Amino acid sequence: MSVLHQAVRVLIFVDWGCAVVLVAMAGRLAFLRAGELPEWRGLLTLRRPLASELSKEFHAYNRQFIRLMLALPLVLAVGAFLFWLDSVVGVSSDG
């Protein structure tokens, strides 16, 4: 196994570790966001809270959550690219 192949394998491991951390952070932010929602008004109420009724913490958690959800597909795409690169490097180093 070549050094390049081993380096790609390490990068794959690091990338998927980052993906796990991003999912854990998104779960944490989802729970924090839910804690900042105004009190439930009732089962038959269709009215949603206005943006001015939501706290500044909710908006901050929402912005962070959106950034994490945008970063997660990027990290997964990099992981897919590294898997492809691993197969290319693995095939070329076997011969």
Side-chain angles (χ1 to χ4, degrees):
M1 194 181 302
S2 70
V3 175
L4 180 61
H5 193 177
Q6 291 175 352
V8 170
R9 291 269 170 109
V10 169
L11 288 174
I12 289 171
F13 181 75
V14 169
D15 182 71
W16 289 105
C18 289
V20 168
V21 169
L22 282 174
V23 168
M25 289 173 63
R28 177 185 168 270
L29 281 173
F31 279 111
L32 289 173
R33 228 175 53 161
E36 292 295 328
L37 283 173
E39 191 162 327
W40 183 255
R41 301 195 195 295
L43 186 60
L44 299 176
T45 305
L46 297 176
R47 183 183 171 279
R48 295 179 51 111
L50 299 173
S52 60
E53 295 175 352
L54 300 172
S55 66
K56 290 183 181 180
E57 289 84 10
F58 177 83
H59 290 295
Y61 293 145
N62 200 31
R63 283 190 301 271
Q64 291 174 3
F65 185 75
I66 290 171
R67 287 185 191 125
L68 287 176
M69 289 297 102
L70 291 175
L72 185 61
L74 293 175
V75 168
L76 294 176
V78 168
F81 172 73
L82 288 171
F83 269 125
W84 173 79
L85 191 62
D86 181 48
S87 67
V88 170
V89 170
V91 168
S92 66
S93 68
D94 288 340

